[in-house]
Amino acid sequence: MAIGKLYIGRKVRDLRDGKRLTQAQFAQRIGISTSYLNQIENNQRPVSASVLLALAEKFQIDIAELSSGESDRLLSALSEALSDPLFETYSPSLQELKLVVQNAPGLAHALISCHQAYRRNSEQLASIDDTIGRGASFVETTPYEEVRDFFHFVDNYIHEIDTLAETLADELGLGDGDNHAALAAYLEERHGIRVVRGAAGDEAIRRFDPRARVLTLNPYAPAATRDFQLALQIAQTRAREEIDRVAGSAGFRTEEAYEICRIGLQNYFAGALILPYQPFLKAARELRHDVELLAARFGASLEQVCHRLSTLQRPGQKGIPIFFARIDRAGNITKRHSAAKLQFARFGAACPLWNVHQAFETPGRIIRQLAETPDGVRYLCLATQITKGGGGYRAAHPRYALALGCEISYADAFVYADDMDLGNRAAYDPIGISCRICERTRCASRAVPPLKRKLIVDHDMRGALPYRLSESGPPSLFVFEQML
């Protein structure tokens, strides 16, 4: 297989520093000159295939770990930030952005944070009547966004928490789809926590009384939800120290962000306990990522299965690079992660041409789509609707669409691609990331113009859109909205 040019100087330098070797010692170990290693570490030269193989052989690392990963996510976020009209006089090339991400990731993160603050400031000023009296702190990243970015940039995989959950799952014999009795027995025998059914009229999914050591579960919640809440309670007891240590090392600015992260890590542990890494990865390969069969085998929900598939990023044992998102009926992305090249927009809704929106029209079905993004990368996209909640006719039943997919080179690992014409270019729908950063000029479904294009209005001609796009320059969103 051909290997493209890889500029991974920072990763090579981090590997050398981790081994506490000088450049001369490290270069000797992998059979290259010190000057060549110095050029690699400073991204002046790419690593060759022979160097990659030497790194894998001498230091027992997975070559895949030295590829894009976090760099793709950081590059996407930085590119989106710089597409703002604020930077209209600066249009860096893709190569320039890659150099920044590879050589100065800290600077890239800082610029993204500054742009987030700028956007938040602008939005608050646009509705100043709601912000009077809040002071200057409103320009900071919200705790929720800070935690979301923490998980995003660690590849949604926390090794310490994941392996701890997997070890406990093996001890309890979990993974056969009948977990409730084992989880409840563990809580009572090891932690003195008794599990009881909730009373009629109590809408809480779970309620824990730390003094009485009683965990109350909603009897009307789906079985997968009840099992997950048992696993969550185990996370709060068995994994408390590890979770606190991981959250504390993240360097959050506020106590609120720290507590939100603890919730996220507790949920992470619960998912990893019910769907233990190696058994789940093995089953995913055997069942060719049939999410319904995986849910049945492990006694989990479709959302739990799809989310877990996106976290299979353990070094040396990685699964298929998958993107995953959960979208509400208004188009808001309420969960998102991508181990693939496709990176979700940090602002705005999802592309209207994406099949995830069709899931609400055909509940109970898994919808398939072949799609191509503006960068020419092709994907297999899957979508299905789920309904949350329980409790009868009068209870709230919010509906969401789940999106799951991979780059087309991995499609043969999915049962859903078996009868699709993957080699037919015409079979791929052109989709974007979000309208505000999508450069497609002839999309009839565009909601807003791209940020770095001016509008050209021809009063004597009307096409699918009431304007044409110039080569550069920011549009007037007010004019666009009035024309529609």
Side-chain angles (χ1 to χ4, degrees):
M1 180 178 67
I3 299 178
K5 290 185 178 180
L6 285 180
Y7 292 88
I8 53 173
R10 180 171 174 266
K11 292 184 178 181
V12 173
R13 185 168 60 251
D14 288 345
L15 175 62
R16 178 175 63 80
D17 289 342
K19 301 296 182 180
R20 298 184 178 181
L21 298 174
T22 65
Q23 282 192 335
Q25 293 170 330
F26 192 86
Q28 185 179 19
R29 289 280 296 274
I30 59 177
I32 62 174
S33 68
T34 304
S35 61
Y36 181 23
L37 175 61
N38 183 64
Q39 290 175 317
I40 288 176
E41 290 191 357
N42 288 285
N43 283 323
Q44 296 172 353
R45 291 182 65 179
V47 292
S48 64
S50 60
V51 171
L52 282 175
L53 293 174
L55 289 170
E57 178 184 353
K58 300 297 184 181
F59 298 101
Q60 290 77 52
I61 60 173
D62 184 357
I63 292 179
E65 295 174 33
L66 295 173
S67 61
S68 53
E70 179 184 355
S71 295
D72 277 344
R73 287 183 288 281
L74 189 56
L75 179 64
S76 175
L78 181 62
S79 178
E80 183 179 357
L82 291 175
S83 70
D84 195 293
L86 173 70
F87 303 104
E88 62 178 299
T89 59
Y90 176 56
S91 298
S93 66
L94 181 61
Q95 185 59 32
E96 287 180 280
L97 294 179
K98 285 182 177 179
L99 288 173
V100 172
V101 168
Q102 292 160 354
N103 291 314
L107 177 62
H109 280 290
L111 180 58
I112 292 167
S113 296
C114 288
H115 178 252
Q116 286 179 317
Y118 163 77
R119 278 186 55 87
R120 199 165 293 106
N121 195 353
S122 300
E123 290 167 0
Q124 295 283 1
L125 290 174
S127 55
I128 192 66
D129 56 319
D130 292 330
T131 62
I132 293 176
R134 292 188 185 180
S137 63
F138 66 81
V139 302
E140 297 179 354
T141 301
T142 66
Y144 174 81
E145 291 171 332
E146 195 175 0
V147 173
R148 179 196 65 186
D149 287 348
F150 162 75
F151 279 98
H152 182 61
F153 288 114
V154 298
D155 211 10
N156 206 24
Y157 175 77
I158 313 294
H159 186 73
E160 182 179 2
I161 305 298
D162 210 298
T163 53
L164 179 64
E166 184 179 22
T167 300
L168 182 57
D170 182 62
E171 177 187 332
L172 300 181
L174 303 182
D176 60 0
D178 185 18
N179 300 326
H180 190 89
L183 293 169
Y186 174 83
L187 279 172
E188 185 161 11
E189 295 169 5
R190 298 288 187 89
H191 301 286
I193 296 175
R194 187 164 53 93
V195 181
V196 302
R197 291 165 59 92
D202 188 353
E203 297 182 355
I205 296 175
R206 66 182 288 272
R207 192 184 300 279
F208 178 60
D209 184 340
R211 289 189 176 183
R213 307 296 287 175
V214 172
L215 174 64
T216 303
L217 297 181
N218 189 321
Y220 303 113
T225 299
R226 295 199 302 272
D227 288 353
F228 189 88
Q229 295 306 319
L230 289 173
L232 181 65
Q233 188 63 50
I234 293 174
Q236 293 181 346
T237 52
R238 172 62 183 85
R240 178 187 295 273
E241 291 184 5
E242 291 81 3
I243 286 173
D244 289 350
R245 183 162 53 250
V246 172
S249 65
F252 295 117
R253 292 195 297 260
T254 65
E255 183 70 16
E256 186 179 2
Y258 170 77
E259 292 298 337
I260 292 173
C261 184
R262 289 183 68 228
I263 294 174
L265 291 170
Q266 290 165 7
N267 284 325
Y268 185 99
F269 180 94
L273 182 61
I274 292 173
L275 304 167
Y277 196 99
Q278 295 187 67
F280 184 74
L281 176 61
K282 181 181 178 182
R285 290 170 173 167
E286 290 176 351
L287 299 175
R288 300 185 61 219
H289 299 83
D290 188 316
V291 294
E292 292 171 306
L293 291 182
L294 285 168
R297 176 176 291 191
F298 289 90
S301 69
L302 284 180
E303 182 176 352
Q304 291 166 3
V305 166
C306 291
H307 196 162
R308 184 59 167 152
L309 284 172
S310 75
T311 69
L312 299 181
Q313 297 300 304
R314 180 175 295 180
Q317 294 178 300
K318 291 190 176 185
I320 298 295
I322 283 172
F323 65 79
F324 164 73
R326 188 182 71 184
I327 294 92
D328 66 17
R329 289 182 60 81
N332 301 305
I333 301 178
T334 59
K335 281 185 181 182
R336 64 179 175 89
H337 177 68
S338 178
K341 281 186 169 58
L342 186 148
Q343 299 296 321
F344 301 104
R346 300 164 66 83
F347 307 100
C351 174
L353 299 179
W354 198 15
N355 71 333
V356 67
H357 304 289
Q358 300 173 22
F360 293 107
E361 303 169 9
T362 54
R365 290 182 53 198
I366 293 180
I367 304 172
R368 306 176 300 169
Q369 179 186 35
L370 297 177
E372 181 177 333
T373 48
D375 58 2
V377 181
R378 298 176 182 177
Y379 299 90
L380 168 66
C381 301
L382 310 172
T384 189
Q385 180 197 279
I386 61 168
T387 302
K388 308 278 278 188
Y393 175 72
R394 296 190 180 279
H397 296 90
R399 290 186 290 167
Y400 297 93
L402 302 180
L404 187 76
C406 67
E407 293 173 34
I408 208 65
S409 58
Y410 298 100
D412 59 355
F414 285 72
V415 65
Y416 307 101
D418 282 352
D419 59 348
M420 303 187 80
D421 191 0
L422 306 182
N424 181 8
R425 185 180 184 87
Y428 291 82
D429 297 325
I431 67 169
I433 303 303
S434 75
C435 289
R436 64 189 298 278
I437 59 173
C438 179
E439 292 296 312
R440 297 191 189 278
T441 59
R442 297 183 180 181
C443 179
S445 298
R446 180 177 288 282
V448 295
L451 289 174
K452 287 202 168 183
R453 296 292 186 92
K454 289 182 179 178
L455 302 186
I456 300 175
V457 179
D458 185 342
H459 294 281
D460 297 322
M461 190 275 289
R462 166 67 192 250
L465 296 175
Y467 60 88
R468 289 182 292 110
L469 299 176
S470 69
E471 291 301 317
S472 62
S476 166
L477 295 183
F478 174 77
V479 171
F480 174 76
E481 291 164 356
Q482 295 302 310
M483 288 192 296
L484 295 184

